[in-house]
Amino acid sequence: MDRRQNKTQLGIKEVFIHLLSENPIDKITVSRISKLADINRGTFYLHYHDVYDLHDQIVTELIADMTAIFNTTYPTTTENYSSFKTLSYQLVTYIATH
């Protein structure tokens, strides 16, 4: 994917998350997302089937990212307790920023 597509998708996701903090998902429309993200509806549909597909993709990405943090940071022995601190810090930081 090129930089424009990444920027467009990031804008769509940011608008969606903002709207989701104020409204239930069934009250969020593609038209509203498109207007706030300053794109046309066709651009939205190039990336997502509907609002629920957008939601599912965001959740899937979050789970994949957190799984990657677990896979790289989770301690392999019980003797390495400091790794739990690192794991906790990375997860909390990720959650706070996303």
Side-chain angles (χ1 to χ4, degrees):
M1 212 177 337
D2 69 16
R3 288 177 26 199
R4 287 181 321 204
Q5 289 176 324
N6 285 337
K7 185 177 176 182
T8 299
Q9 285 185 338
L10 181 61
I12 291 169
K13 289 174 185 176
E14 286 175 353
V15 166
F16 174 73
I17 290 169
H18 172 74
L19 290 172
L20 195 57
S21 70
E22 298 174 346
N23 306 287
I25 193 168
D26 61 337
K27 300 294 183 194
I28 299 173
T29 65
V30 172
S31 295
R32 185 78 175 134
I33 293 170
S34 299
K35 181 178 179 181
L36 293 174
D38 197 25
I39 60 169
N40 62 48
R41 288 171 46 113
T43 302
F44 178 92
Y45 288 116
L46 284 174
H47 299 284
Y48 309 101
H49 297 291
D50 56 21
V51 174
Y52 295 98
D53 180 42
L54 169 58
H55 178 266
D56 290 347
Q57 286 191 34
I58 290 171
V59 170
T60 299
E61 289 173 13
L62 290 172
I63 291 170
D65 291 346
M66 290 194 309
T67 300
I69 291 170
F70 268 102
N71 289 338
T72 59
T73 312
Y74 194 81
T76 55
T77 65
T78 57
E79 297 170 3
N80 196 0
Y81 292 112
S82 66
S83 293
F84 281 110
K85 189 179 206 180
T86 302
L87 172 64
S88 299
Y89 175 78
Q90 288 184 358
L91 284 173
V92 169
T93 302
Y94 178 82
I95 291 168
T97 58
H98 292 88

